[in-house]
Amino acid sequence: MATTEQRIRTLVNNQSQPIGRARKNLFKQRFGTFVLYILAILVALAFSLPFFWTISSSLKSAAELYVFPPTFLPETIRWKNYSDVFSLAPFATFISNTVIITALAMVGQIISSAAVAYGFSRFKFPGRDALFFLVLSTMMLPWQVTIVPTFLLFRYLGWINTFLPLIIPSYFGSAFYIFLLRQFFMTIPRDLDEAAKLDGASSVRIFWSIILPLAKAALATVAIFSFLEHWNEFIGPLIFLNSPEKFTLSIGLRYFMDNPFEGDEPREAILMAASLIVALPPLILFFAAQKYFVRGIVTTGLKG
Amino acid sequence: MAKQQTMTRRSFLRATSLASVGIALAACAPVPAGAPAAGSTAAAAPAAGKTQIRFHARIGSQEDALYDMQMPKFMEANPNIEVVKESFPGAEYNAKISTMLAGGTLGDVCWSALGGATIQFATSQGSVAPIDDLVASENVDLKQWYEGCLKGITVNGKLMGLPFKSHPGLAVVYYNQTAIEAAGKEVPKAGWTQEQQVELAKALTTADGKQFGYLPSEKGTQAITFLYDLFQTHKVAPKPDQMVGSDTDMWASGALGMYQGGTSISVFGKTIGDKFKWMVAPNPIGPGGVGGSDYEVDAQCVTTATKNPTEAFKWVQYLTSKDSGIQLGLIGGTVGGRPDVYGAPELLKFPFRVVFKEIMDNAQASRITANWRQSEAETALLQLTQPLWAGNEKPTPAFLDSVTSQIQDILDKPKP
């Protein structure tokens, strides 16, 4: 028969085994997390290296840019590159033109796409599905197919060399955003619509006061995509705009690039500075709107 | 209690339908008499009594500087003409001109070039007009420009513009004078041979791979075997995997002892600064007894869409004048295609321009493919010969025959 002391010793031994296993598991878990973090940091560094190289190049002189082997940090920081961007080309004008076009086009795209998506998601009417597929099918048309008739249409309207071709089409919806918003609207429970109807709200009132506020995350997504699309657009401004005072930033960057088959004075450092100026607003917008993505995932609007 | 006014879906749809029909009817209404025609793209109506000339320029530091300098001077000398500049990115310039031509919004004056058979394409497309009649009516002395330049922009026997800028092609060897002196060698001079060039390139190539003796141009070259030896036998030229950045990057950074380029590479002198001394020499004499060159020409042209050809031609003449050509050189880069520009004292004070003048005065005639598929043939040649420079192929008769036959297939195609 085991003594009390022996029994106590046995008990202690049995308890320490699970504790040791738990410690091992915890170590494995933490080590795994550590490895994942290291991998993520390395991959992030690899992807962000071109961006940091752009920053570094934007602060170098032209001579330093061509040093061989290349150096990462500039020997002398040349902030003048940023002022040269504005003195060598009417960059301030390009910025204001791009802001005007982007803001107006973005608003139009959000409102029109949301309205159309609301119709497709909330109302049943004959031919609804066929119409929706027709809208989606317009995504299959490459822009090379539509640019010629579009140009001829705007030429007939007398809109060439104005901002109108770059803004007005956005007020007629966009297939991708209509699809995206429709899918999101369909996740919003109809209980809310019915409750509002019982209170006497019209469809427009429901759309404005209930659906839109609940769809902030989706609308923020559309806003970001739309902003990027119009901020970076190049082909549209190239084709529809002729006067330099109407150019946008995407064409403005060309002021710092060489002509093909010809050696102009190298301006790559200034081009890097200009590129950073152009990239800054989309970056700021992305980080500012990030929270709306997270909220939208967890919120459906139902309480209690 | 008053009934609350709410908009139902039906009333909303009714209202928007009526509004849409109204807008459609308004859009379909005929243009009132006297109103500007649809598609009019004039930036602003010209001042009373002035003829407006829309000039399609390429965006570029040298050309922008010239246009900004010359436009006020021209308009002061010609108070009845207003020049409106519309600038487009160089890489998309031809596409923009084609678009404007197709859309009926083309202006009065545009740029074109011999390179890539651009002016030939423009002629066949119908965007540029022959100027023989204008030359005759304005009594323009064509001897002002290099004959070879004029021939280069003559298409189907008709002169399609006036030479704006011109150079003798890739006929210049830029050399690192500092490196040559450090290697204890003599700098190259006009009349040097290819053998001398190879010896110099070997002396300039360092074992650590930080400096190569020579980077030739692969474009338009006939002597493939000579080039192959530079890359693989003598190992004085960087192979594709040894290139760091572009060829001009390597030249400006001092990684090349010699570099074959055009006259526009001289603008990199500002970038090189005090890093090393540099100078230029003509191409070495080859087995054919010449150093190799051909006229490259940029032209300013009167478009087929202009309603004011005389005024447009005046602006073309101004851009291709001696003053404009010299200003191009003072700004930096390729200069006007005129002997009085290449020989201008203001430019000859730069020693490298003395060499440029000698080369230009003796440049060979331009050579483009008969079917105008110059870019297509050059691109194919570059792609097909890449294995040679990379060392994956040798210039055997079988390889060269294969390259030749594929290039010949392109040359046998009809004109676009």
PDB file of all heavy atoms in Angstrom, chain B residues 109-140:
ATOM      1  N   VAL B 109      -0.551  72.702 -87.564  1.00  0.00           N
ATOM      2  CA  VAL B 109       0.864  72.329 -87.690  1.00  0.00           C
ATOM      3  C   VAL B 109       1.144  71.177 -86.737  1.00  0.00           C
ATOM      4  O   VAL B 109       0.668  71.175 -85.602  1.00  0.00           O
ATOM      5  CB  VAL B 109       1.789  73.522 -87.346  1.00  0.00           C
ATOM      6  CG1 VAL B 109       3.261  73.091 -87.368  1.00  0.00           C
ATOM      7  CG2 VAL B 109       1.568  74.659 -88.333  1.00  0.00           C
ATOM      8  N   CYS B 110       1.923  70.194 -87.223  1.00  0.00           N
ATOM      9  CA  CYS B 110       2.275  69.090 -86.337  1.00  0.00           C
ATOM     10  C   CYS B 110       3.696  68.650 -86.606  1.00  0.00           C
ATOM     11  O   CYS B 110       4.294  68.956 -87.626  1.00  0.00           O
ATOM     12  CB  CYS B 110       1.300  67.909 -86.495  1.00  0.00           C
ATOM     13  SG  CYS B 110       1.465  67.011 -88.039  1.00  0.00           S
ATOM     14  N   TRP B 111       4.232  67.925 -85.632  1.00  0.00           N
ATOM     15  CA  TRP B 111       5.580  67.369 -85.720  1.00  0.00           C
ATOM     16  C   TRP B 111       5.503  66.027 -86.418  1.00  0.00           C
ATOM     17  O   TRP B 111       4.489  65.326 -86.356  1.00  0.00           O
ATOM     18  CB  TRP B 111       6.111  67.217 -84.295  1.00  0.00           C
ATOM     19  CG  TRP B 111       7.382  66.436 -84.144  1.00  0.00           C
ATOM     20  CD1 TRP B 111       8.653  66.912 -84.105  1.00  0.00           C
ATOM     21  CD2 TRP B 111       7.506  65.025 -83.987  1.00  0.00           C
ATOM     22  NE1 TRP B 111       9.550  65.894 -83.936  1.00  0.00           N
ATOM     23  CE2 TRP B 111       8.879  64.714 -83.864  1.00  0.00           C
ATOM     24  CE3 TRP B 111       6.585  63.964 -83.936  1.00  0.00           C
ATOM     25  CZ2 TRP B 111       9.366  63.420 -83.691  1.00  0.00           C
ATOM     26  CZ3 TRP B 111       7.060  62.670 -83.770  1.00  0.00           C
ATOM     27  CH2 TRP B 111       8.437  62.410 -83.655  1.00  0.00           C
ATOM     28  N   SER B 112       6.584  65.655 -87.080  1.00  0.00           N
ATOM     29  CA  SER B 112       6.706  64.305 -87.613  1.00  0.00           C
ATOM     30  C   SER B 112       8.192  63.980 -87.691  1.00  0.00           C
ATOM     31  O   SER B 112       9.037  64.810 -87.327  1.00  0.00           O
ATOM     32  CB  SER B 112       6.044  64.184 -88.988  1.00  0.00           C
ATOM     33  OG  SER B 112       5.932  62.810 -89.340  1.00  0.00           O
ATOM     34  N   ALA B 113       8.534  62.786 -88.151  1.00  0.00           N
ATOM     35  CA  ALA B 113       9.949  62.403 -88.176  1.00  0.00           C
ATOM     36  C   ALA B 113      10.176  61.297 -89.194  1.00  0.00           C
ATOM     37  O   ALA B 113       9.254  60.568 -89.579  1.00  0.00           O
ATOM     38  CB  ALA B 113      10.406  61.941 -86.788  1.00  0.00           C
ATOM     39  N   LEU B 114      11.432  61.174 -89.593  1.00  0.00           N
ATOM     40  CA  LEU B 114      11.824  60.078 -90.472  1.00  0.00           C
ATOM     41  C   LEU B 114      11.896  58.778 -89.680  1.00  0.00           C
ATOM     42  O   LEU B 114      11.579  57.708 -90.199  1.00  0.00           O
ATOM     43  CB  LEU B 114      13.179  60.400 -91.108  1.00  0.00           C
ATOM     44  CG  LEU B 114      13.815  59.312 -91.965  1.00  0.00           C
ATOM     45  CD1 LEU B 114      12.924  58.988 -93.163  1.00  0.00           C
ATOM     46  CD2 LEU B 114      15.192  59.763 -92.454  1.00  0.00           C
ATOM     47  N   GLY B 115      12.297  58.899 -88.400  1.00  0.00           N
ATOM     48  CA  GLY B 115      12.470  57.719 -87.560  1.00  0.00           C
ATOM     49  C   GLY B 115      11.207  56.891 -87.484  1.00  0.00           C
ATOM     50  O   GLY B 115      10.121  57.434 -87.290  1.00  0.00           O
ATOM     51  N   GLY B 116      11.348  55.592 -87.637  1.00  0.00           N
ATOM     52  CA  GLY B 116      10.197  54.711 -87.583  1.00  0.00           C
ATOM     53  C   GLY B 116       9.252  54.904 -88.749  1.00  0.00           C
ATOM     54  O   GLY B 116       8.097  54.503 -88.669  1.00  0.00           O
ATOM     55  N   ALA B 117       9.739  55.534 -89.807  1.00  0.00           N
ATOM     56  CA  ALA B 117       8.900  55.852 -90.983  1.00  0.00           C
ATOM     57  C   ALA B 117       7.643  56.608 -90.574  1.00  0.00           C
ATOM     58  O   ALA B 117       6.580  56.446 -91.168  1.00  0.00           O
ATOM     59  CB  ALA B 117       8.552  54.582 -91.758  1.00  0.00           C
ATOM     60  N   THR B 118       7.780  57.448 -89.552  1.00  0.00           N
ATOM     61  CA  THR B 118       6.626  58.184 -89.019  1.00  0.00           C
ATOM     62  C   THR B 118       6.009  59.079 -90.084  1.00  0.00           C
ATOM     63  O   THR B 118       4.783  59.128 -90.245  1.00  0.00           O
ATOM     64  CB  THR B 118       7.063  59.029 -87.813  1.00  0.00           C
ATOM     65  OG1 THR B 118       7.669  58.175 -86.851  1.00  0.00           O
ATOM     66  CG2 THR B 118       5.883  59.745 -87.183  1.00  0.00           C
ATOM     67  N   ILE B 119       6.872  59.809 -90.810  1.00  0.00           N
ATOM     68  CA  ILE B 119       6.322  60.761 -91.778  1.00  0.00           C
ATOM     69  C   ILE B 119       5.705  60.029 -92.963  1.00  0.00           C
ATOM     70  O   ILE B 119       4.759  60.519 -93.587  1.00  0.00           O
ATOM     71  CB  ILE B 119       7.406  61.777 -92.216  1.00  0.00           C
ATOM     72  CG1 ILE B 119       6.745  63.014 -92.833  1.00  0.00           C
ATOM     73  CG2 ILE B 119       8.430  61.150 -93.155  1.00  0.00           C
ATOM     74  CD1 ILE B 119       7.667  64.196 -92.969  1.00  0.00           C
ATOM     75  N   GLN B 120       6.231  58.850 -93.257  1.00  0.00           N
ATOM     76  CA  GLN B 120       5.619  58.054 -94.317  1.00  0.00           C
ATOM     77  C   GLN B 120       4.213  57.607 -93.896  1.00  0.00           C
ATOM     78  O   GLN B 120       3.260  57.670 -94.672  1.00  0.00           O
ATOM     79  CB  GLN B 120       6.482  56.832 -94.654  1.00  0.00           C
ATOM     80  CG  GLN B 120       7.724  57.139 -95.484  1.00  0.00           C
ATOM     81  CD  GLN B 120       8.859  57.741 -94.674  1.00  0.00           C
ATOM     82  OE1 GLN B 120       8.797  57.815 -93.451  1.00  0.00           O
ATOM     83  NE2 GLN B 120       9.922  58.156 -95.355  1.00  0.00           N
ATOM     84  N   PHE B 121       4.111  57.131 -92.645  1.00  0.00           N
ATOM     85  CA  PHE B 121       2.799  56.749 -92.120  1.00  0.00           C
ATOM     86  C   PHE B 121       1.845  57.930 -92.137  1.00  0.00           C
ATOM     87  O   PHE B 121       0.685  57.817 -92.527  1.00  0.00           O
ATOM     88  CB  PHE B 121       2.931  56.265 -90.669  1.00  0.00           C
ATOM     89  CG  PHE B 121       3.139  54.793 -90.540  1.00  0.00           C
ATOM     90  CD1 PHE B 121       4.251  54.288 -89.899  1.00  0.00           C
ATOM     91  CD2 PHE B 121       2.209  53.899 -91.038  1.00  0.00           C
ATOM     92  CE1 PHE B 121       4.454  52.924 -89.791  1.00  0.00           C
ATOM     93  CE2 PHE B 121       2.397  52.538 -90.922  1.00  0.00           C
ATOM     94  CZ  PHE B 121       3.528  52.050 -90.295  1.00  0.00           C
ATOM     95  N   ALA B 122       2.366  59.081 -91.696  1.00  0.00           N
ATOM     96  CA  ALA B 122       1.511  60.267 -91.635  1.00  0.00           C
ATOM     97  C   ALA B 122       1.025  60.642 -93.036  1.00  0.00           C
ATOM     98  O   ALA B 122      -0.114  61.074 -93.208  1.00  0.00           O
ATOM     99  CB  ALA B 122       2.280  61.424 -90.997  1.00  0.00           C
ATOM    100  N   THR B 123       1.904  60.473 -94.018  1.00  0.00           N
ATOM    101  CA  THR B 123       1.508  60.790 -95.396  1.00  0.00           C
ATOM    102  C   THR B 123       0.419  59.842 -95.875  1.00  0.00           C
ATOM    103  O   THR B 123      -0.602  60.273 -96.436  1.00  0.00           O
ATOM    104  CB  THR B 123       2.723  60.704 -96.335  1.00  0.00           C
ATOM    105  OG1 THR B 123       3.746  61.570 -95.857  1.00  0.00           O
ATOM    106  CG2 THR B 123       2.349  61.092 -97.763  1.00  0.00           C
ATOM    107  N   SER B 124       0.634  58.546 -95.627  1.00  0.00           N
ATOM    108  CA  SER B 124      -0.359  57.578 -96.106  1.00  0.00           C
ATOM    109  C   SER B 124      -1.671  57.725 -95.344  1.00  0.00           C
ATOM    110  O   SER B 124      -2.743  57.467 -95.874  1.00  0.00           O
ATOM    111  CB  SER B 124       0.173  56.151 -95.968  1.00  0.00           C
ATOM    112  OG  SER B 124       0.297  55.797 -94.607  1.00  0.00           O
ATOM    113  N   GLN B 125      -1.596  58.169 -94.113  1.00  0.00           N
ATOM    114  CA  GLN B 125      -2.786  58.368 -93.284  1.00  0.00           C
ATOM    115  C   GLN B 125      -3.557  59.616 -93.716  1.00  0.00           C
ATOM    116  O   GLN B 125      -4.748  59.729 -93.490  1.00  0.00           O
ATOM    117  CB  GLN B 125      -2.307  58.547 -91.847  1.00  0.00           C
ATOM    118  CG  GLN B 125      -3.314  58.386 -90.769  1.00  0.00           C
ATOM    119  CD  GLN B 125      -2.662  58.596 -89.427  1.00  0.00           C
ATOM    120  OE1 GLN B 125      -1.998  59.594 -89.198  1.00  0.00           O
ATOM    121  NE2 GLN B 125      -2.850  57.666 -88.538  1.00  0.00           N
ATOM    122  N   GLY B 126      -2.811  60.545 -94.314  1.00  0.00           N
ATOM    123  CA  GLY B 126      -3.461  61.773 -94.763  1.00  0.00           C
ATOM    124  C   GLY B 126      -3.484  62.867 -93.720  1.00  0.00           C
ATOM    125  O   GLY B 126      -4.338  63.753 -93.770  1.00  0.00           O
ATOM    126  N   SER B 127      -2.552  62.846 -92.760  1.00  0.00           N
ATOM    127  CA  SER B 127      -2.557  63.893 -91.734  1.00  0.00           C
ATOM    128  C   SER B 127      -1.637  65.059 -92.110  1.00  0.00           C
ATOM    129  O   SER B 127      -1.894  66.185 -91.697  1.00  0.00           O
ATOM    130  CB  SER B 127      -2.137  63.333 -90.369  1.00  0.00           C
ATOM    131  OG  SER B 127      -0.853  62.748 -90.438  1.00  0.00           O
ATOM    132  N   VAL B 128      -0.598  64.808 -92.892  1.00  0.00           N
ATOM    133  CA  VAL B 128       0.308  65.891 -93.283  1.00  0.00           C
ATOM    134  C   VAL B 128       0.192  66.141 -94.782  1.00  0.00           C
ATOM    135  O   VAL B 128      -0.090  65.231 -95.563  1.00  0.00           O
ATOM    136  CB  VAL B 128       1.776  65.591 -92.901  1.00  0.00           C
ATOM    137  CG1 VAL B 128       1.906  65.491 -91.397  1.00  0.00           C
ATOM    138  CG2 VAL B 128       2.299  64.348 -93.566  1.00  0.00           C
ATOM    139  N   ALA B 129       0.396  67.407 -95.142  1.00  0.00           N
ATOM    140  CA  ALA B 129       0.205  67.816 -96.534  1.00  0.00           C
ATOM    141  C   ALA B 129       1.545  68.162 -97.172  1.00  0.00           C
ATOM    142  O   ALA B 129       2.448  68.666 -96.500  1.00  0.00           O
ATOM    143  CB  ALA B 129      -0.717  69.033 -96.585  1.00  0.00           C
ATOM    144  N   PRO B 130       1.694  67.921 -98.479  1.00  0.00           N
ATOM    145  CA  PRO B 130       2.930  68.338 -99.160  1.00  0.00           C
ATOM    146  C   PRO B 130       3.017  69.863 -99.176  1.00  0.00           C
ATOM    147  O   PRO B 130       1.992  70.556 -99.242  1.00  0.00           O
ATOM    148  CB  PRO B 130       2.779  67.763-100.579  1.00  0.00           C
ATOM    149  CG  PRO B 130       1.370  67.338-100.710  1.00  0.00           C
ATOM    150  CD  PRO B 130       0.759  67.235 -99.379  1.00  0.00           C
ATOM    151  N   ILE B 131       4.241  70.358 -99.120  1.00  0.00           N
ATOM    152  CA  ILE B 131       4.432  71.811 -99.031  1.00  0.00           C
ATOM    153  C   ILE B 131       5.143  72.383-100.249  1.00  0.00           C
ATOM    154  O   ILE B 131       5.599  73.529-100.226  1.00  0.00           O
ATOM    155  CB  ILE B 131       5.220  72.191 -97.757  1.00  0.00           C
ATOM    156  CG1 ILE B 131       6.603  71.497 -97.756  1.00  0.00           C
ATOM    157  CG2 ILE B 131       4.439  71.841 -96.505  1.00  0.00           C
ATOM    158  CD1 ILE B 131       7.552  72.060 -96.706  1.00  0.00           C
ATOM    159  N   ASP B 132       5.247  71.573-101.326  1.00  0.00           N
ATOM    160  CA  ASP B 132       5.964  72.058-102.517  1.00  0.00           C
ATOM    161  C   ASP B 132       5.368  73.365-103.018  1.00  0.00           C
ATOM    162  O   ASP B 132       6.098  74.313-103.369  1.00  0.00           O
ATOM    163  CB  ASP B 132       5.925  70.984-103.620  1.00  0.00           C
ATOM    164  CG  ASP B 132       6.558  69.686-103.149  1.00  0.00           C
ATOM    165  OD1 ASP B 132       7.795  69.607-103.133  1.00  0.00           O
ATOM    166  OD2 ASP B 132       5.802  68.764-102.776  1.00  0.00           O
ATOM    167  N   ASP B 133       4.045  73.443-103.066  1.00  0.00           N
ATOM    168  CA  ASP B 133       3.397  74.667-103.565  1.00  0.00           C
ATOM    169  C   ASP B 133       3.696  75.852-102.653  1.00  0.00           C
ATOM    170  O   ASP B 133       3.930  76.971-103.124  1.00  0.00           O
ATOM    171  CB  ASP B 133       1.877  74.463-103.659  1.00  0.00           C
ATOM    172  CG  ASP B 133       1.517  73.464-104.748  1.00  0.00           C
ATOM    173  OD1 ASP B 133       2.399  73.204-105.615  1.00  0.00           O
ATOM    174  OD2 ASP B 133       0.387  72.937-104.739  1.00  0.00           O
ATOM    175  N   LEU B 134       3.683  75.597-101.353  1.00  0.00           N
ATOM    176  CA  LEU B 134       3.949  76.684-100.401  1.00  0.00           C
ATOM    177  C   LEU B 134       5.399  77.143-100.512  1.00  0.00           C
ATOM    178  O   LEU B 134       5.695  78.345-100.420  1.00  0.00           O
ATOM    179  CB  LEU B 134       3.654  76.211 -98.975  1.00  0.00           C
ATOM    180  CG  LEU B 134       2.180  76.021 -98.651  1.00  0.00           C
ATOM    181  CD1 LEU B 134       1.999  75.197 -97.383  1.00  0.00           C
ATOM    182  CD2 LEU B 134       1.493  77.379 -98.489  1.00  0.00           C
ATOM    183  N   VAL B 135       6.311  76.181-100.711  1.00  0.00           N
ATOM    184  CA  VAL B 135       7.727  76.535-100.872  1.00  0.00           C
ATOM    185  C   VAL B 135       7.888  77.449-102.079  1.00  0.00           C
ATOM    186  O   VAL B 135       8.605  78.457-102.022  1.00  0.00           O
ATOM    187  CB  VAL B 135       8.577  75.254-101.012  1.00  0.00           C
ATOM    188  CG1 VAL B 135       9.968  75.559-101.521  1.00  0.00           C
ATOM    189  CG2 VAL B 135       8.651  74.515 -99.683  1.00  0.00           C
ATOM    190  N   ALA B 136       7.185  77.092-103.156  1.00  0.00           N
ATOM    191  CA  ALA B 136       7.310  77.894-104.384  1.00  0.00           C
ATOM    192  C   ALA B 136       6.681  79.275-104.192  1.00  0.00           C
ATOM    193  O   ALA B 136       7.268  80.294-104.549  1.00  0.00           O
ATOM    194  CB  ALA B 136       6.640  77.157-105.543  1.00  0.00           C
ATOM    195  N   SER B 137       5.490  79.302-103.577  1.00  0.00           N
ATOM    196  CA  SER B 137       4.788  80.591-103.459  1.00  0.00           C
ATOM    197  C   SER B 137       5.474  81.530-102.466  1.00  0.00           C
ATOM    198  O   SER B 137       5.421  82.743-102.603  1.00  0.00           O
ATOM    199  CB  SER B 137       3.331  80.362-103.038  1.00  0.00           C
ATOM    200  OG  SER B 137       3.283  79.779-101.755  1.00  0.00           O
ATOM    201  N   GLU B 138       6.146  80.949-101.465  1.00  0.00           N
ATOM    202  CA  GLU B 138       6.829  81.777-100.471  1.00  0.00           C
ATOM    203  C   GLU B 138       8.288  81.998-100.820  1.00  0.00           C
ATOM    204  O   GLU B 138       9.037  82.591-100.032  1.00  0.00           O
ATOM    205  CB  GLU B 138       6.741  81.111 -99.076  1.00  0.00           C
ATOM    206  CG  GLU B 138       5.329  80.956 -98.551  1.00  0.00           C
ATOM    207  CD  GLU B 138       4.715  82.277 -98.155  1.00  0.00           C
ATOM    208  OE1 GLU B 138       5.329  83.011 -97.372  1.00  0.00           O
ATOM    209  OE2 GLU B 138       3.616  82.593 -98.664  1.00  0.00           O
ATOM    210  N   ASN B 139       8.702  81.467-101.987  1.00  0.00           N
ATOM    211  CA  ASN B 139      10.103  81.623-102.439  1.00  0.00           C
ATOM    212  C   ASN B 139      11.095  81.167-101.372  1.00  0.00           C
ATOM    213  O   ASN B 139      12.023  81.887-101.011  1.00  0.00           O
ATOM    214  CB  ASN B 139      10.395  83.087-102.808  1.00  0.00           C
ATOM    215  CG  ASN B 139       9.615  83.524-104.020  1.00  0.00           C
ATOM    216  OD1 ASN B 139       9.490  82.782-104.993  1.00  0.00           O
ATOM    217  ND2 ASN B 139       9.059  84.721-103.959  1.00  0.00           N
ATOM    218  N   VAL B 140      10.883  79.995-100.872  1.00  0.00           N
ATOM    219  CA  VAL B 140      11.778  79.457 -99.839  1.00  0.00           C
ATOM    220  C   VAL B 140      12.973  78.797-100.522  1.00  0.00           C
ATOM    221  O   VAL B 140      12.815  77.991-101.432  1.00  0.00           O
ATOM    222  CB  VAL B 140      11.030  78.428 -98.973  1.00  0.00           C
ATOM    223  CG1 VAL B 140      11.975  77.787 -97.970  1.00  0.00           C
ATOM    224  CG2 VAL B 140       9.859  79.078 -98.262  1.00  0.00           C
TER     225      VAL B 140
END
